[in-house]
Amino acid sequence: MLINLWYVAEWSDTVKDKPVKVKLLGQNFVLFRDQQGKVSCLSDVCLHRGGSLSSGRTIRDCVACPYHGWQFNGDGKVEFIPSEGRDFKIPDRARVDAYPTEERYGMIWVFLGDAPEDERIPIPEFPEYSDTANWRALHDKWDWKAEAARVVENGIDIAHASFVHPMFGEAETAQENHIKNVELHDFWGRSWNEQYPPELTGGFLNWRKLIRRDRQPTETIPTWYMAGMVVRIQINLNPRMSLIMFDANTPIDEHNTRTFAVQLRSFVKHPLFDAGSRKRLHKIFSEDQVILEQSSPNYLPETLANELSVKDDRFMSSFRRARRSLIEENGWLIDSAVVKAHDGRKSFAIPSPFRRERADLRWVMDPVPLVPPLTSAVKIVDQAELS
Ligand code: FES
Ligand SMILES: [Fe+2]
């Protein structure tokens, strides 16, 4: 799991007037709104005696700990300690880590790390989301017992569709599917693919058959974004009908991922068709789930050396390579083995931007341990990736 990335913590409409607890990167956080409606995200561990802030309540622009009532503002600073009275001078170091937040596409995004604003990989653009005249949106959630990076790789892998998703392909035509183009940018990548899926079926009097003939060439455009571990897949069924899946794959912990999924469709936009769309989306997720939850190892291997890659995997590998650069060069990987060794005995905090600015404050909680970056002398030469 990587720090210093934006992740989706919750749907916007879940966070109203009460604090909400979320688990991300193996740590607990509290989300709450101030009186202006601005959402804040703090470490959930009270620095007094470890109370869970999310079990407290919001008071004006603060969240109050349920244990002794200390009040924390949206910057994580303690504003009031009831037992000490209003005149008490609260020390500067009485604060928990607070994280930048943004609300986009109906989702609450939180930046979990200490990188300054100009060094952050931006939240992916999703312009179609607000184009409600042309697209109908559906929101959904899916939980996986698998690491987020594995879920991302599955999402951008076109080749598996012929075997795992009968709706999108069949084994006999696997060889005809091909990557037409790959475009790589800083921490996101897109590929264009042609596929020959079977005829669509279902709906009243089997009307979905009209959308796509058998083996009609279909353009599939997967995109990965490191920010939010997002997978976007656009499927152009024909020149007038498209689907877009925008899935933010949030690492809950090392073994669990929660997908915040938005699906857009450019056709049959009446809400009456939502139930059918949702059913098909669940079918796809459950087909992937069977494969992913049984794959080994549960985590993305450290290198590509212990898996064999072929030409068709080159787009998938671009994500793995970019992720590895953040691990090996930036040192952003949480050292889960060390965290686990302290399980139940010590809490850590994901370092926030203000912690980096004010290292002099002697922060109460220790930062989460990270795997140090590799020096070039010990970098793993990965033949499988170089080929
Ligand atoms: S533990 Fe939170 S106020 Fe005491
Ligand atoms: Fe899939």
Side-chain angles (χ1 to χ4, degrees):
M1 298 178 292
L2 300 178
I3 67 160
N4 278 324
L5 291 176
W6 287 99
Y7 290 107
V8 172
E10 240 326 331
W11 296 115
S12 278
D13 58 11
T14 304
V15 182
K16 298 191 175 90
D17 53 351
K18 289 190 178 61
V20 171
K21 183 180 199 147
V22 288
K23 190 174 179 189
L24 312 163
L25 304 183
Q27 306 293 325
N28 291 325
F29 299 85
V30 55
L31 304 172
F32 66 100
R33 285 189 192 277
D34 65 18
Q35 290 166 306
Q36 280 68 49
K38 163 106 179 67
V39 72
S40 296
C41 175
L42 310 181
S43 163
D44 192 44
V45 183
C46 178
L47 48 77
H48 178 222
R49 289 295 180 268
S52 167
L53 300 180
S54 54
S55 303
R57 60 198 176 103
T58 44
I59 300 177
R60 291 178 300 279
D61 292 339
C62 289
V63 61
C65 178
Y67 205 171
H68 312 91
W70 291 23
Q71 294 178 18
F72 297 76
N73 70 18
D75 294 330
K77 174 107 180 62
V78 177
E79 277 203 351
F80 182 47
I81 301 180
S83 63
E84 305 300 305
R86 287 281 169 204
D87 296 334
F88 179 65
K89 167 126 179 40
I90 296 170
D92 262 4
R93 64 191 293 258
R95 59 167 68 236
V96 294
D97 288 88
Y99 305 90
T101 65
E102 293 258 354
E103 291 192 68
R104 294 216 209 148
Y105 326 134
M107 301 159 163
I108 296 171
W109 296 74
V110 298
F111 183 79
L112 296 183
D114 58 356
E117 202 170 347
D118 58 349
E119 289 175 21
R120 295 175 200 156
I121 300 170
I123 294 171
E125 295 297 332
F126 185 18
E128 296 88 347
Y129 183 78
S130 46
D131 181 6
T132 48
N134 291 308
W135 299 92
R136 167 78 188 167
L138 198 84
H139 297 81
D140 217 329
K141 236 186 219 179
W142 195 263
D143 289 334
W144 315 82
K145 285 198 186 340
E147 191 201 21
R150 276 260 191 229
V151 177
V152 171
E153 278 206 352
N154 170 266
I156 59 176
D157 168 24
I158 291 302
H160 82 285
S162 304
F163 300 90
V164 179
H165 304 302
M167 208 188 306
F168 291 129
E170 43 203 344
E172 298 73 46
T173 58
Q175 209 189 335
E176 291 163 38
N177 301 334
H178 58 274
I179 301 178
K180 289 195 295 184
N181 197 13
V182 172
E183 201 182 279
L184 297 178
H185 302 267
D186 276 349
F187 302 108
W188 68 278
R190 178 166 288 164
S191 86
W192 282 262
N193 305 263
E194 193 153 276
Q195 295 180 281
Y196 301 90
E199 178 180 84
L200 280 179
T201 56
F204 184 61
L205 295 176
N206 208 17
W207 71 268
R208 298 185 73 244
K209 185 184 167 130
L210 302 174
I211 299 179
R212 189 177 66 208
R213 298 187 316 275
D214 193 32
R215 299 190 184 180
Q216 177 177 312
T218 299
E219 189 178 40
T220 306
I221 309 165
T223 310
W224 62 261
Y225 297 94
M226 199 61 73
M229 294 276 154
V230 167
V231 170
R232 174 195 157 118
I233 305 173
Q234 178 158 349
I235 302 173
N236 297 327
L237 296 158
N238 62 45
R240 286 161 295 106
M241 293 182 176
S242 297
L243 284 170
I244 298 176
M245 263 92 74
F246 182 97
D247 297 349
N249 300 298
T250 300
I252 303 300
D253 58 28
E254 256 200 315
H255 310 276
N256 293 283
T257 300
R258 172 162 292 171
T259 297
F260 294 87
V262 177
Q263 192 198 55
L264 302 184
R265 58 179 194 271
S266 70
F267 53 100
V268 291
K269 296 195 283 285
H270 194 280
L272 267 180
F273 292 90
D274 286 354
S277 289
R278 195 179 300 277
K279 205 169 116 198
R280 284 184 289 279
L281 186 62
H282 286 187
K283 184 170 185 304
I284 295 164
F285 281 146
S286 29
E287 288 164 353
D288 283 325
Q289 188 155 31
V290 173
I291 299 289
L292 272 183
E293 296 190 354
Q294 296 184 60
S295 295
S296 172
N298 178 41
Y299 321 115
L300 211 57
E302 293 297 313
T303 78
L304 279 171
N306 301 116
E307 291 183 346
L308 188 64
S309 301
V310 293
K311 193 160 61 46
D312 242 17
D313 299 325
R314 68 186 192 277
F315 180 58
M316 253 200 292
S317 301
S318 68
F319 163 73
R320 202 181 280 202
R321 200 174 290 121
R323 181 175 170 273
R324 276 184 54 194
S325 78
L326 298 178
I327 296 172
E328 296 184 355
E329 288 160 34
N330 297 26
W332 289 355
L333 183 69
I334 294 173
D335 195 335
S336 298
V338 176
V339 176
K340 202 168 164 196
H342 288 88
D343 188 30
R345 281 184 287 271
K346 182 177 169 71
S347 299
F348 293 100
I350 304 288
S352 58
F354 194 65
R355 183 186 277 257
R356 191 191 287 193
E357 273 175 46
R358 293 294 309 274
D360 60 299
L361 284 182
R362 294 185 298 115
W363 290 70
V364 177
M365 296 262 289
D366 285 341
V368 77
L370 300 173
V371 174
L374 294 183
T375 60
S376 52
V378 294
K379 261 192 191 160
I380 303 157
V381 176
D382 189 339
Q383 292 300 339
E385 251 189 309
L386 296 176
S387 62

